[in-house]
Amino acid sequence: MKYQVNEKGYYGEFGGAWIPEMMYTNIEELKTRYLEIIEAEEFKSEFDKLMKDYVGRPSPLYYASRLSEHYGSKIFLKREDLNHTGSHKLNNTIGQILLAQKLGKTRIIAETGAGQHGVATATVCALKGIKCVVYMGALDVSRQAPNVKKMKMLGAEVVPVHSGNKTLKDATNEAMRDWINNPEDTHYIIGSVVGPHPYPDMVARFQSVISKEMRGQLLEQTGSELPTRVLACVGGGSNAAGAFYHFLDDEQVELIGVEAAGKGVDTDETAATLTVGSPGVLHSARTMLMQTEDGQIIEPYSISAGLDYPGIGPLHAHLHKTGRAKFLAATDEEVLQSVLLLTQKEGIIPALESAHALAALDKIKMNPDDVNVINLSGSGNKDMETYLNYFGY
Amino acid sequence: MNNRINQLFESKKENIFSVYFTAGFPNLDDTVKIIQELEKNGADLIEIGMPFSDPTADGPTVQRSSEIALKNGMNLRLLFEQLKDIRKSVNIPLILMGYLNPVYQYGVEAFCRKCAEIGIDGTILPDLPLDEFEAEYRKYFEASNLHNILLITPQTSEKRIKQIDEASEGFIYMVSSSSTTGAGKKVEDFHVDYFERVQNMNLKNPRLIGFGISDHATFSNACKYAQGAIIGSAFVNAIKDSVNLEKDIATFVKSIDPGGKALL
Ligand SMILES: Cc1ncc(COP(=O)(O)O)c(C=O)c1O
């Protein structure tokens, strides 16, 4: 329980609900009701059934033999890329759409960067016949055209956001403004373990299915529920939270989060929040932030639109501070090499985000008998244009 | 403890005319001039906006003024520098309004002390919620005789309004409707039932209504239900291209016609 949120919504010194009064009623309702709702037997069985029949869970835990040989250590891939819609994001949106229905909400809003969370939200809204509005930075709308078209085909309204740098942070601002303007009928499906309490805990619980499955699969395949280490990429931190969740109290399991270094942590073009950041308050949470001395938020940069967020979930800020998890950063260049390595060793094209976790394999010391689990959070389908341009196929 | 905000509400019971502007906008050095002109033209209270990169409770007008102010080079240290002699020329209460993070980086205790030194009377920090304020920060505000003004909205329950009233000093900021800041509301958009409900609660604090108050009609209508009202975006819009603040501010205040005082 050392790493769980406390009743005030804090992980150590990080978290809380730093909300304007305009959001108070909605957040208070969520805070008082989310546990009772998601722990009810009826909710759990509905959630589990959709996880199995709709998302396609459990996702395989795959022993990557040629990659293992390459690194001289055992490497397993948790195949979240094989989920419906191609990433871990659907685990969360399924949970939240069921919750929104229990709260009697009739309109859903979401923010998205790469468009994966937007697609996952539009998907569950189509599934349940609920109105869906997705905010997306205008720059991302033009960078991620196929996902924009998918969301529209799914029946969602995609609203380009023209403020700030026109990326994920600005889309999040605009989604929060929408919620302030529509406090009665709307539920905001946040896409990661960020935002005010109870979102970080709620999203982590929905994603925790990842590590729950891992334990059973590891027992079956290796004879032990516990691996040597778990590696996951970290933007806001939802796939990492899900992959770490059921190992948090097993302190012998090494947990490694990998942030986006962009062009390097010593350049202005990075998204490695824990390396370059400091504590502050953004999007209603106290957490680590990329900011100026004056407290203005700095625009992050990464080749992967899903990792360029200037903050990080408060759980990870706490795991970092306490040393329970280690956080590394991988550059665009390193990540692209890892994409190609996995593609040609295993026949799996990973998402740019997920390849950050793969790139960390070059940065850590591994023994031959170590069991390393990489959370392969998403498929590379959405990144084909980047890959084709870069590799020149 | 009493300060200029309390004195204002003791001496004036209606049509209190309060104006918000963003420091550093339209030009970096306009701050003092805008305050002086507003006082001269009859403003009773001024909210000086401290620009932030991510103003999530604000509509497009304040978003844009904040963005430009930051581009112009505004920051909290510079704002304090600009305001250091403000009490030599200005007597009305002054409130700093903005988001928590820049204040947090400055240091909340140091911020409060600096406010006291300059003669700032209050703050409005929408993303500093009541429970966090009580737990960690009230002591610093009280030590500097700085009133932290709290907000209520049409969704705020009666129980919570009472709790906020209990915790408030100076006045309560009534958000006119469920919305971010922005001009362009009409009188018909007001939740009159909410205004009346709160009016009948006999709160210990006076109230000002803000968000969407943009012209004479909305101002005078809001004043029927509270001691006064706050104009923000409409004023920011009125000075956005100004090359003559003196004239434009006078014209704007005349258009609002906030009651006797401005007509002098
Ligand atoms: C495949 C994939 N992995 C990871 C992320 C980053 O999100 P998080 O850090 O919340 O897992 C994204 C976000 O879009 C994504 O699409």
Side-chain angles (χ1 to χ4, degrees):
Chain A
M1 290 302 286
K2 229 167 111 185
Y3 303 104
Q4 294 293 330
V5 79
N6 70 19
E7 72 286 353
K8 289 206 168 118
Y10 279 88
Y11 300 90
E13 68 187 82
F14 300 108
W18 301 77
I19 47 166
E21 194 60 33
M22 292 82 101
M23 280 165 66
Y24 179 85
T25 307
N26 272 318
I27 292 297
E28 194 62 20
E29 179 182 35
L30 265 186
K31 211 163 80 180
T32 49
R33 296 197 55 198
Y34 82 111
L35 286 178
E36 147 219 332
I37 290 175
I38 71 181
E39 281 179 353
E41 283 312 316
E42 186 204 340
F43 183 97
K44 278 202 249 177
S45 71
E46 214 177 335
F47 180 75
D48 290 348
K49 190 164 162 44
L50 283 171
M51 284 288 128
K52 177 165 171 284
D53 299 337
Y54 188 74
V55 184
R57 304 202 72 92
S59 68
L61 182 73
Y62 166 69
Y63 175 62
S65 59
R66 295 220 315 133
L67 194 68
S68 298
E69 196 183 324
H70 176 85
Y71 281 108
S73 189
K74 294 184 194 129
I75 294 163
F76 290 81
L77 305 175
K78 180 62 174 163
R79 299 289 308 276
E80 292 299 300
D81 60 315
L82 294 178
N83 293 339
H84 180 40
T85 74
S87 81
H88 68 292
K89 296 284 181 189
L90 201 59
N91 303 331
N92 170 40
T93 58
I94 293 270
Q96 287 205 49
I97 199 76
L98 295 178
L99 177 101
Q101 285 187 308
K102 298 276 181 257
L103 294 172
K105 302 291 184 178
T106 54
R107 178 175 175 271
I108 296 294
I109 55 170
E111 84 296 337
T112 196
Q116 287 305 100
H117 174 60
V119 168
T121 304
T123 297
V124 296
C125 287
L127 176 70
K128 293 293 182 184
I130 296 181
K131 187 174 158 52
C132 178
V133 180
V134 178
Y135 290 93
M136 189 170 187
L139 186 67
D140 290 335
V141 168
S142 63
R143 286 198 292 193
Q144 312 284 336
N147 271 343
V148 175
K149 295 205 169 95
K150 259 190 215 171
M151 288 185 264
K152 287 185 178 165
M153 189 167 164
L154 287 159
E157 182 190 344
V158 180
V159 182
V161 175
H162 292 277
S163 57
N165 268 38
K166 308 176 174 50
T167 60
L168 179 57
K169 166 176 86 77
D170 312 293
T172 307
N173 291 340
E174 208 53 35
M176 289 192 159
R177 290 181 190 120
D178 181 308
W179 211 17
I180 287 172
N181 283 286
N182 298 283
E184 310 271 354
D185 62 344
T186 298
H187 175 69
Y188 177 17
I189 300 190
I190 294 184
S192 192
V193 287
V194 300
H197 176 66
Y199 277 102
D201 182 51
M202 183 167 77
V203 176
R205 283 167 187 263
F206 291 141
Q207 292 294 357
S208 70
V209 63
I210 299 173
S211 48
K212 189 171 159 203
E213 288 174 4
M214 278 180 188
R215 289 184 76 113
Q217 290 166 326
L218 282 166
L219 180 64
E220 207 172 280
Q221 295 185 40
T222 70
S224 165
E225 286 190 356
L226 303 182
T228 313
R229 61 183 67 83
V230 179
L231 299 100
C233 69
V234 182
S238 66
N239 88 87
F244 294 170
Y245 198 89
H246 289 285
F247 299 113
L248 286 170
D249 293 329
D250 297 302
E251 305 252 356
Q252 68 270 42
V253 177
E254 207 183 315
L255 305 175
I256 299 179
V258 189
E259 294 192 293
K263 302 210 166 140
V265 294
D266 47 3
T267 71
D268 288 341
E269 293 177 282
T270 183
T273 306
L274 289 174
T275 308
V276 304
S278 56
V281 176
L282 178 68
H283 295 149
S284 311
R286 177 152 78 198
T287 188
M288 297 292 282
L289 299 176
M290 290 172 55
Q291 58 184 325
T292 65
E293 208 181 67
D294 186 45
Q296 308 298 338
I297 307 305
I298 294 175
E299 285 294 336
Y301 162 82
S302 161
I303 191 172
S304 72
L307 300 184
D308 62 3
Y309 185 69
I312 189 167
L315 165 67
H316 296 294
H318 180 57
L319 296 178
H320 174 69
K321 175 113 191 190
T322 56
R324 173 64 190 95
K326 197 155 83 185
F327 290 85
L328 306 172
T331 64
D332 292 354
E333 198 62 39
E334 292 165 340
V335 164
L336 286 159
Q337 292 316 315
S338 296
V339 167
L340 201 57
L341 185 71
L342 185 71
T343 301
Q344 302 196 339
K345 289 279 182 201
E346 299 290 348
I348 297 169
I349 305 179
L352 273 168
E353 290 80 10
S354 322
H356 284 71
L358 292 165
L361 293 172
D362 290 312
K363 298 169 185 286
I364 58 172
K365 196 179 157 304
M366 296 180 283
N367 294 316
D369 290 334
D370 287 357
V371 172
N372 306 280
V373 181
I374 306 263
N375 195 38
L376 203 72
S377 58
S379 145
N381 282 348
K382 68 179 178 62
D383 298 312
M384 285 316 296
E385 203 179 304
T386 307
Y387 297 162
L388 298 185
N389 284 338
Y390 184 81
F391 298 118
Y393 290 106
Chain B
M1 234 197 313
N2 262 23
N3 74 17
R4 287 180 200 86
I5 297 173
N6 309 91
Q7 287 155 18
L8 167 65
F9 284 96
E10 277 156 24
S11 64
K12 191 167 177 181
K13 305 286 180 196
E14 55 183 17
N15 294 332
I16 288 180
F17 175 46
S18 176
V19 180
Y20 165 94
F21 74 98
T22 306
F25 174 88
N27 301 298
L28 186 60
D29 297 324
D30 289 339
T31 314
V32 171
K33 178 84 181 161
I34 291 172
I35 296 170
Q36 289 170 340
E37 291 304 317
L38 279 171
E39 177 173 48
K40 206 163 81 189
N41 284 282
D44 296 305
L45 186 156
I46 297 175
E47 291 154 23
I48 305 164
M50 306 176 280
F52 181 49
S53 54
D54 296 84
T56 46
D58 284 297
T61 299
V62 176
Q63 287 173 43
R64 213 160 312 118
S65 64
S66 303
E67 203 174 320
I68 292 171
L70 291 173
K71 252 184 220 141
N72 287 344
M74 182 47 72
N75 61 52
L76 202 43
R77 263 163 247 280
L78 179 61
L79 178 59
F80 282 142
E81 184 58 31
Q82 290 180 344
L83 294 176
K84 74 176 192 301
D85 293 325
I86 197 71
R87 284 304 170 197
K88 290 186 182 154
S89 60
V90 171
N91 295 314
I92 58 176
L94 298 175
I95 288 176
L96 291 184
M97 178 166 186
Y99 293 81
L100 183 62
N101 199 50
V103 174
Y104 188 78
Q105 299 312 318
Y106 190 93
V108 177
E109 189 177 3
F111 170 87
C112 290
R113 266 202 243 111
K114 193 76 192 174
C115 284
E117 190 185 309
I118 289 172
I120 299 293
D121 307 288
T123 55
I124 303 173
L125 300 164
D127 58 346
L128 173 53
L130 177 58
D131 53 341
E132 299 286 359
F133 173 71
E134 294 289 350
E136 284 191 57
Y137 301 127
R138 178 185 279 286
K139 53 183 185 274
Y140 303 132
F141 284 73
E142 280 181 352
S144 291
N145 196 17
L146 198 58
H147 296 343
N148 185 42
I149 306 302
L150 301 166
L151 277 56
I152 61 172
T153 80
Q155 272 71 41
T156 312
S157 69
E158 193 163 317
K159 180 166 161 244
R160 186 156 171 90
I161 292 176
K162 284 185 179 145
Q163 191 187 357
I164 286 171
D165 186 40
E166 214 37 62
S168 289
E169 277 182 283
F171 66 95
I172 290 175
Y173 193 135
M174 273 182 83
V175 177
S176 67
S177 61
S178 319
S179 76
T180 44
T181 60
K185 285 254 159 47
K186 297 197 188 66
V187 172
E188 304 88 84
D189 298 332
F190 286 158
H191 294 230
V192 171
D193 51 333
Y194 150 67
F195 291 171
E196 286 175 344
R197 177 163 55 85
V198 178
Q199 199 172 23
N200 292 331
M201 282 181 72
N202 289 318
L203 302 177
K204 77 176 168 77
N205 287 283
R207 288 155 284 119
L208 294 181
I209 295 176
F211 285 39
I213 311 297
S214 59
D215 54 15
H216 176 72
T218 44
F219 179 82
S220 50
N221 197 273
C223 287
K224 287 191 210 156
Y225 303 98
Q227 283 78 359
I230 303 165
I231 298 185
S233 297
F235 178 71
V236 171
N237 270 328
I239 60 166
K240 73 174 192 289
D241 301 314
S242 181
V243 288
N244 185 344
L245 285 170
E246 213 173 307
K247 179 167 147 278
D248 293 336
I249 290 174
T251 306
F252 180 80
V253 176
K254 230 176 241 128
S255 77
I256 302 299
D257 186 15
K261 208 175 154 195
L263 297 175
L264 291 178

